[in-house]
Amino acid sequence: MSDRQQLYEGKAKIVYTTDDPEVLLAYYKDDATAFNAQKRGTITGKGEINNTMSGHLFKLLEAAGIPTHFIDTPSPNEMRIKRVDIIPVEVIVRNIAAGSLCKQTGIPLGTVLQPPLVEFCYKNDQLGDPLLTRDRLLAMNLASEEQLKSIEDLSRQIDQILSDFFSQCGITLVDFKLEFGMTSDGQLILADEISPDTCRLWDQAETDPNLRVMDKDRFRNDLGNVESAYQQVLARVLSRI
């Protein structure tokens, strides 16, 4: 990759160009952030865990007909991905009430949401990634009606696939964040990552509200044993692939 140059650095990844203009290289970091980067730290081995897990789950989704930006993982911390223009909308799919949903609405923690709730947030750190209504999203020209419908349809399909898979791993997929982008030929595809950083995951064998947490909430809420929780999630994922 003689033409490799840094294109972008975010909270969790550094993205580089390659000698193919349609292919980028994402390097997964061990850095950890929470509360819109107000809390910072390091989770040892997180980059390798999230890269490996995302790669396997992208392949799982591809096999089920979901288009993604995944190409391959040339090293433990690196993923080759298709170049896309990211749509600046974070999609949050909620199966069970937790986190900000409970704080903002008063819905009790653990309430099962039927059907699952699909929410849209503006991907903008300076504004704190605010929750958007559909009309606001369209008024801001962040996505078209057609794109929005496709995003919601794909998100619900992804939720069903991942919920079923994680359940086989003894894990409940509480909620998760997705990002989508457009390829140079106009295809809408899933991007970013799928990991304990972007998913809220509860151990089905645990009833204690703290012990069951297997995701970044362990870092966010100072619950400890963050690395071991991430490692356990990856081990269960790999055992089912």
Side-chain angles (χ1 to χ4, degrees):
M1 297 184 182
S2 57
D3 294 334
R4 170 171 165 166
Q5 296 179 341
Q6 182 172 320
L7 182 66
Y8 163 84
E9 180 169 4
K11 299 169 188 173
K13 293 182 286 294
I14 305 173
V15 178
Y16 298 94
T17 61
T18 71
D19 50 12
D20 183 338
E22 296 300 323
V23 175
L24 300 177
L25 184 74
Y27 174 83
Y28 282 66
K29 303 190 294 183
D30 285 352
D31 297 354
T33 63
F35 309 116
N36 199 22
Q38 293 179 26
K39 180 176 183 178
R40 296 177 179 272
T42 300
I43 300 174
T44 303
K46 179 176 83 76
E48 182 172 340
I49 290 169
N50 287 0
N51 181 53
T52 303
M53 179 170 161
S54 293
H56 281 277
L57 294 180
F58 280 138
K59 285 188 280 188
L60 175 74
L61 292 172
E62 289 271 5
I66 304 295
T68 81
H69 71 167
F70 175 77
I71 298 175
D72 59 23
T73 49
S75 77
N77 282 72
E78 294 178 326
M79 180 182 294
R80 289 200 312 146
I81 55 177
K82 300 168 189 173
R83 186 171 197 146
V84 297
D85 289 325
I86 291 290
I87 295 173
V89 176
E90 292 183 347
V91 184
I92 303 172
V93 183
R94 300 182 183 274
N95 297 305
I96 297 173
S100 61
L101 179 64
C102 297
K103 295 176 184 177
Q104 294 168 359
T105 67
I107 297 174
L109 175 69
T111 301
V112 176
L113 303 170
Q114 287 290 354
L117 180 63
V118 177
E119 298 181 327
F120 303 107
C121 293
Y122 183 24
K123 186 175 165 61
N124 186 307
D125 287 341
Q126 291 183 334
L127 297 179
D129 300 331
L131 186 67
L132 294 178
T133 63
R134 181 180 295 266
D135 286 345
R136 282 191 180 187
L137 191 155
L138 295 172
M140 295 167 69
N141 294 315
L142 299 180
S144 67
E145 279 271 20
E146 182 181 1
Q147 287 174 329
L148 201 56
K149 184 180 186 308
S150 295
I151 286 171
E152 183 168 357
D153 289 346
L154 283 170
S155 296
R156 292 192 183 278
Q157 292 175 48
I158 292 166
D159 179 41
Q160 187 63 61
I161 296 164
L162 293 182
S163 292
D164 290 347
F165 175 77
F166 276 117
S167 184
Q168 294 172 28
C169 301
I171 297 172
T172 297
L173 179 59
V174 177
D175 58 41
F176 59 103
K177 177 181 73 71
L178 297 173
E179 294 184 21
F180 293 86
M182 301 297 295
T183 63
S184 59
D185 60 358
Q187 184 184 22
L188 177 74
I189 64 174
L190 179 64
D192 196 36
E193 66 180 274
I194 306 170
S195 71
D197 271 14
T198 62
C199 301
R200 187 170 270 119
L201 305 166
W202 290 351
D203 188 344
Q204 293 178 352
E206 285 287 353
T207 56
D208 183 281
N210 290 332
L211 293 177
R212 69 185 177 187
V213 175
M214 305 180 76
D215 54 74
K216 196 166 73 170
D217 272 353
R218 301 208 68 84
F219 168 77
R220 187 181 285 114
N221 299 325
D222 297 316
L223 299 179
N225 298 317
V226 184
E227 288 87 356
S228 62
Y230 275 56
Q231 291 164 0
Q232 188 177 156
V233 172
L234 178 62
R236 294 195 194 186
V237 166
L238 296 182
S239 73
R240 301 300 304 183
I241 295 293

